[in-house]
Amino acid sequence: MTEFWLISAPGEKTCQQTWDTMMAATTRTNNLSTNHKFSIPELKVGTLDVLVGLSDELAKLDSFVESVVKKVAQYMADVLEDSRDKVQENLLANGVDLVTYITRFQWDMAKYPIKQSLKNISEIISKQITQIDNDLKSRASAYNNLKGNLQNLERKNAGSLLTRSLADIVKKEDFVLDSEYLITLLVVVPKTGYTDWQKVYETLAEMVVPRSSNLLYEDNDSGLFSVTLFRKAIDDFKHKARENKFTVRDFQYNEEEMKADKEEMNRLSTDKKKQFGPLVRWLKVNFSEAFIAWIHIKALRVFVESVLRYGLPVNFQAMLLQPNKKTMKRLREVLNELYKHLDSSAAAIIDSAMDIPGLNLSQQEYYPYVYYKIDCNLLDFKV
């Protein structure tokens, strides 16, 4: 399970007792979850008014930062062409995998000094993540344009003989060039029609050069044949070829153009390779930064909500539970039983499974204890 429940409950005689009680209820007898203490430093409390306002702001900031974390992760998957193992090994926080980072969480005093007010810390995070979001947009846009242009050129060089570029197939010697009277055309003939082609191509117009047709290239369905004829017979030949289900490609041999196309493709390919490494490095660094910021916001939310619910002096134990998938429902019941005395209105909501009008607190999101979910499954892999 990559889902964690970050909860807090007020300290009993000591915070350690709160921890022991929760451990006894969830692991010692019934193995409902794997639990870790979640370390939150002594943050500046500020006034009640500020805390109430901050509670709403942090909820919005939490959603925004989570969306940026997911965007960076998903773009990493796009850049690495959805290779799941490669993506996961690049999605690290502080150089360790996400589960390790969360379960061993330590507040980063250098990035988010706890001498600052809670509001200042949240503003530091907000600015940092807004910057990452803006940078991601511009970098992704530049890389996607490059990738798109390269894919368009590659598409031109792939596909069926009816549509693909012929520049890399034909050679100068396949054509009669610089002739006032003669021209070489390229014709796509279905494989089933080879015999017919050989029988009739000389008769499709009056001025076809005998024995001038050569097979230049084949794919799974068709062959590309050259044929030489007098220029004045072109329209007649094309018309008759169509009637016989042969397709004359609109192609003129132009060495300069073909060279320019190849050079453009090489340039785009080289540019893409050049940008790939720095882009992946940027994504790794900024995924880590964004994820770390996100978990710090969760810590801030637990702190603010615990003070608002359990009062002063600050005395609560934050705990990180990793539920076992099959026992999630039971774990929720055990926690509700353990903490229902903390908030009778929450217990009533849970018992009735109804929303209280105007409060926007539904059974899914409100419990007698402080609760936030952290879901580390950040990628939507297209199966």
Side-chain angles (χ1 to χ4, degrees):
M1 281 288 286
T2 51
E3 182 179 307
F4 292 88
W5 296 357
L6 181 54
I7 70 167
S8 84
E12 295 171 26
K13 281 182 186 148
T14 65
C15 289
Q16 183 60 38
Q17 268 185 300
T18 304
W19 169 256
D20 291 340
T21 306
M22 193 275 298
M23 285 295 282
T26 61
T27 64
R28 302 224 170 105
T29 55
N30 43 17
N31 193 26
L32 298 175
S33 58
T34 308
N35 305 327
H36 307 266
K37 282 184 179 175
F38 191 83
S39 167
I40 299 176
E42 286 181 32
L43 298 164
K44 284 192 163 182
V45 176
T47 65
L48 186 64
D49 280 359
V50 167
L51 287 182
V52 170
L54 198 57
S55 178
D56 284 344
E57 282 169 34
L58 285 172
K60 289 175 192 150
L61 188 55
D62 188 345
S63 296
F64 169 60
V65 177
E66 181 180 1
S67 75
V68 173
V69 168
K70 285 184 171 172
K71 263 193 261 183
V72 177
Q74 193 58 49
Y75 195 61
M76 175 85 82
D78 294 347
V79 169
L80 293 172
E81 315 289 350
D82 278 3
S83 172
R84 190 184 282 261
D85 50 341
K86 278 191 202 157
V87 180
Q88 292 296 358
E89 70 196 34
N90 282 292
L91 295 181
L92 304 174
N94 243 2
V96 297
D97 67 83
L98 307 185
V99 169
T100 304
Y101 177 77
I102 294 172
T103 53
R104 296 184 193 163
F105 175 75
Q106 290 295 318
W107 187 275
D108 190 326
M109 301 287 181
K111 275 194 188 116
Y112 312 115
I114 58 172
K115 291 198 171 109
Q116 301 253 17
S117 70
L118 296 174
K119 190 161 179 54
N120 280 4
I121 294 171
S122 76
E123 280 168 2
I124 290 168
I125 292 174
S126 178
K127 277 185 192 145
Q128 178 197 7
I129 301 304
T130 301
Q131 184 63 52
I132 289 175
D133 192 36
N134 291 337
D135 284 356
L136 176 66
K137 280 174 193 156
S138 62
R139 284 168 190 267
S141 170
Y143 189 74
N144 290 350
N145 280 343
L146 187 60
K147 197 168 148 187
N149 291 339
L150 185 58
Q151 279 170 343
N152 286 340
L153 276 182
E154 282 169 348
R155 220 172 279 130
K156 270 171 72 178
N157 288 322
S160 87
L161 281 170
L162 293 168
T163 53
R164 64 169 291 173
S165 164
L166 304 176
D168 59 337
I169 291 174
V170 297
K171 304 182 194 67
K172 190 173 183 179
E173 53 268 29
D174 296 329
F175 294 83
V176 173
L177 295 170
D178 307 321
S179 164
E180 196 180 330
Y181 300 107
L182 294 173
I183 187 168
T184 301
L185 298 182
L186 298 178
V187 185
V188 179
V189 178
K191 279 193 170 170
T192 51
Y194 281 12
T195 311
D196 288 349
W197 168 256
Q198 293 295 353
K199 270 187 204 159
V200 304
Y201 81 86
E202 293 178 4
T203 63
L204 292 177
E206 281 187 353
M207 298 181 173
V208 178
V209 177
R211 292 190 296 285
S212 64
S213 178
N214 291 304
L215 176 61
L216 307 181
Y217 184 86
E218 283 184 298
D219 66 11
N220 292 337
D221 307 309
S222 315
L224 184 71
F225 286 84
S226 62
V227 59
T228 302
L229 54 144
F230 278 76
R231 287 181 181 274
K232 58 165 79 169
I234 289 177
D235 290 342
D236 202 17
F237 184 88
K238 282 184 176 175
H239 177 67
K240 286 278 174 28
R242 228 184 354 260
E243 284 180 356
N244 283 272
K245 301 202 166 38
F246 307 136
T247 307
V248 178
R249 284 291 306 264
D250 190 13
F251 180 85
Q252 283 181 317
Y253 186 86
N254 182 322
E255 217 151 7
E256 310 261 297
E257 263 179 43
M258 283 156 65
K259 192 175 160 202
D261 273 0
K262 273 185 188 157
E263 281 170 1
E264 174 68 355
M265 193 151 172
N266 289 340
R267 185 187 67 75
L268 290 172
S269 187
T270 307
D271 279 2
K272 187 184 168 197
K273 280 179 193 143
K274 264 192 207 157
Q275 284 193 27
F276 177 81
L279 179 60
V280 170
R281 278 194 294 281
W282 184 90
L283 288 166
K284 276 177 77 163
V285 168
N286 286 279
F287 173 81
S288 175
E289 292 294 305
F291 190 85
I292 289 166
W294 188 39
I295 303 306
H296 279 75
I297 288 168
K298 296 289 188 192
L300 283 177
R301 292 189 76 187
V302 169
F303 182 84
V304 168
E305 198 62 26
S306 299
V307 172
L308 285 172
R309 288 219 206 170
Y310 310 142
L312 292 168
V314 174
N315 179 27
F316 67 88
Q317 177 65 53
M319 301 167 275
L320 188 72
L321 284 60
Q322 192 172 5
N324 298 325
K325 194 168 189 179
K326 290 178 180 167
T327 55
M328 284 172 92
K329 189 166 183 282
R330 179 74 192 121
L331 177 62
R332 190 63 83 191
E333 286 164 2
V334 166
L335 292 176
N336 288 334
E337 194 57 39
L338 196 58
Y339 299 124
K340 66 181 178 186
H341 64 282
L342 297 174
D343 188 338
S344 55
S345 66
I349 293 171
I350 288 153
D351 292 341
S352 63
M354 284 169 64
D355 291 358
I356 295 178
L359 271 184
N360 192 26
L361 301 172
S362 70
Q363 182 197 8
Q364 281 74 35
E365 24 184 44
Y366 193 73
Y367 300 97
Y369 47 94
V370 172
Y371 159 80
Y372 297 106
K373 184 167 90 165
I374 304 172
D375 189 352
C376 291
N377 189 24
L378 303 168
L379 293 167
D380 301 326
F381 270 97
K382 301 161 195 79
V383 180

